[in-house]
Amino acid sequence: MSFSSKIFVRGLATSAKQWSPIKTVTIIGSGLMGSGIAQVAASTGHKVTVVDQTQDIVDKASASIKKSLSRVVKKKFPDDPKAQQTYIADTMGHLTLQTDAVSAVKSADLVVEAIVENLDVKRKLFATLDEAAPQHTVFASNTSSIPIKDIAVATKRGDRFGGLHFFNPVPMMKLVEVIRIPETSEETYNALEAFGKAVGKKTVQCKDEKGFIVNRLLVPYMVESIRLAERGDASTRDIDVAMKLGAGYPMGPFELLDYVGLDTIKFILDGWHESDPTNPLFQPCESLNKLVKENKFGMKTGEGFYSYDK
Ligand SMILES: CCCCCCCCCCCCCC(=O)CC(=O)SCCNC(=O)CCNC(=O)[C@H](O)C(C)(C)COP(=O)(O)OP(=O)(O)OC[C@H]1O[C@@H](n2cnc3c(N)ncnc32)[C@H](O)[C@@H]1OP(=O)(O)O
Ligand SMILES: NC(=O)C1=CN([C@@H]2O[C@H](COP(=O)(O)OP(=O)(O)OC[C@H]3O[C@@H](n4cnc5c(N)ncnc54)[C@H](O)[C@@H]3O)[C@@H](O)[C@H]2O)C=CC1
């Protein structure tokens, strides 16, 4: 191991040039994604604090994580209830859930933001955390669609800011997109990539452009799916069946839209439409807007393009 890498691995976070492997993680937002990121970080030995707005929300997140873990352990430790319970207890033992973001970042090596897909709310959060977090703390957003640089401007730590874009459901999806902005230091990028691998994911790197890789390619597919249904060319159900049986997708587009959350989808599409109003891909979708107006966000509310047992 070269001299520099020895410093690289052993060095304490005493200067911007050195970093320690990420051990303590704070996740802001305990919804679909934040709870999943917390789960995979805690189950891989990281000390995790998850923050949301109310105790009721974090209690729900705790229950959701336990439910997911109970599914994971059935496959991980078949016919071994003791090992199953130990895995769940160990994971939950690494998790703290609370509602105070400022205290939650005081000893964080990494803060991952997974709150609502709204730039102003993200900026406000990061500006507050930038004042509260230690100098060495790395910030990352799990945003689906907002350029990381547009979020990072709210802080004074562009060199310690990046994107960690996980996929839903986090315990099952093997990918995380690691995004850097021009200011992201090499040490920060390496720390983010190492964290992605440490939680069991395959990392890919991409530029800080709209939708990174996967979402940028999902847009034409999912937008055209809705247009196809709105034109009456096929039903949502048949479009889903067709893509699962004809293209081998695990979910059809409408199942996926309901799974992701129509509120999030609308935030994404509205944001891209605002930034590129003439792009035909980003034109508003009538059926999507109608469902969101009726608070039908998909699986998370029990009804979207389809209805679900809550
Ligand atoms: C109007 C249109 C506008 C478009 C605008 C722009 C759109 C751009 C895209 C926006 C996307 C935004 C989201 C984002 O940023 C990125 C994403 O995350 S995209 C989504 C990526 N994810 C997928 O594509 C998921 C595809 N689906 C699947 O992989 C599978 O269906 C899934 C794994 C979810 C479920 O598996 P399946 O076999 O289909 O069925 P089961 O439910 O029976 O599960 C089988 C098995 O798997 C385990 N398991 C499943 N879920 C979990 C979980 N949450 N936790 C733990 N374990 C889980 C479990 O063992 C299951 O077995 P059981 O016996 O049922 O327990
Ligand atoms: N849903 C999906 O499939 C994916 C979503 N993402 C991104 O992850 C982020 C979160 O998305 P979801 O988990 O789906 O949303 P969600 O709606 O399930 O969860 C968001 C959570 O953030 C909390 N929150 C909002 N403002 C907050 C604040 N100021 N402080 C603390 N908590 C706050 C909410 O109470 C809610 O629990 C978004 O940026 C989204 O684009 C990324 C990949 C996949």
Side-chain angles (χ1 to χ4, degrees):
M1 187 186 282
S2 70
F3 176 70
S4 57
S5 55
K6 280 176 189 159
I7 291 177
F8 189 85
V9 171
R10 273 204 315 272
L12 292 175
T14 54
S15 79
K17 280 294 172 202
Q18 294 173 326
W19 65 283
S20 299
I22 289 164
K23 297 186 177 69
T24 303
V25 187
T26 295
I27 294 156
I28 313 286
S30 68
L32 287 175
M33 297 307 289
S35 58
I37 299 165
Q39 178 181 329
V40 299
S43 63
T44 49
H46 297 85
K47 186 172 183 290
V48 181
T49 302
V50 191
V51 178
D52 213 300
Q53 300 181 95
T54 69
Q55 191 58 44
D56 179 53
I57 296 174
V58 293
D59 289 345
K60 286 192 169 76
S62 179
S64 168
I65 291 169
K66 285 175 188 163
K67 183 179 173 190
S68 175
L69 284 170
S70 68
R71 299 177 80 181
V72 167
V73 296
K74 286 195 180 77
K75 301 293 191 309
K76 200 174 179 72
F77 308 104
D79 310 320
D80 189 346
K82 189 172 182 321
Q84 293 176 10
Q85 289 316 312
T86 302
Y87 184 86
I88 293 173
D90 287 351
T91 300
M92 296 309 291
H94 284 114
L95 265 176
T96 302
L97 294 104
Q98 64 180 63
T99 57
D100 174 12
V102 169
S103 67
V105 301
K106 288 292 185 205
S107 55
D109 297 322
L110 170 67
V111 175
V112 182
E113 168 271 310
I115 68 173
V116 63
E117 186 70 342
N118 176 295
L119 178 55
D120 292 341
V121 179
K122 291 183 189 296
R123 280 179 173 167
K124 183 164 177 268
L125 172 73
F126 274 117
T128 303
L129 301 183
D130 197 30
E131 296 301 318
Q135 278 306 303
H136 81 280
T137 306
V138 169
F139 284 177
S141 174
N142 184 58
T143 180
S144 299
S145 63
I146 301 169
I148 302 296
K149 67 183 187 317
D150 293 349
I151 303 169
V153 292
T155 74
K156 305 179 188 71
R157 60 177 82 203
D159 61 317
R160 281 149 291 151
F161 210 114
L164 281 173
H165 184 224
F166 289 86
F167 289 78
N168 184 8
V170 180
M172 297 299 292
M173 306 310 285
K174 292 295 176 213
L175 182 72
V176 60
E177 293 172 328
V178 187
I179 298 99
R180 61 191 312 165
I181 60 177
E183 298 87 355
T184 306
S185 71
E186 203 58 32
E187 288 73 17
T188 296
Y189 180 77
N190 292 336
L192 289 172
E193 187 180 58
F195 175 72
K197 290 175 174 149
V199 298
K201 305 301 177 186
K202 170 71 181 160
T203 61
V204 294
Q205 178 179 349
C206 56
K207 278 191 178 177
D208 185 22
E209 294 298 333
K210 270 198 196 68
F212 311 132
I213 301 172
V214 175
N215 288 357
R216 192 55 186 258
L217 299 180
L218 278 177
V219 168
Y221 161 59
M222 292 169 96
V223 168
E224 191 49 31
S225 300
I226 290 198
R227 311 278 191 229
L228 200 155
E230 286 176 346
R231 291 194 300 266
D233 296 357
S235 69
T236 55
R237 183 64 69 189
D238 279 353
I239 294 167
D240 280 350
V241 169
M243 289 312 291
K244 287 190 284 187
L245 302 188
Y249 288 10
M251 278 177 172
F254 293 94
E255 289 167 336
L256 185 54
L257 286 163
D258 275 354
Y259 193 79
V260 164
L262 302 183
D263 52 336
T264 297
I265 296 288
K266 178 168 168 55
F267 279 126
I268 293 168
L269 190 59
D270 289 352
W272 284 353
H273 178 59
E274 187 183 337
S275 67
D276 186 359
T278 61
N279 190 322
L281 270 182
F282 305 154
Q283 296 312 304
C285 285
E286 188 186 324
S287 47
L288 172 71
N289 288 344
K290 181 174 183 297
L291 286 166
V292 171
K293 191 175 175 194
E294 295 164 357
N295 287 320
K296 295 175 180 174
F297 298 163
M299 289 185 86
K300 61 168 66 165
T301 59
E303 188 176 352
F305 284 101
Y306 302 116
S307 295
Y308 304 87
D309 299 332
K310 272 288 281 178

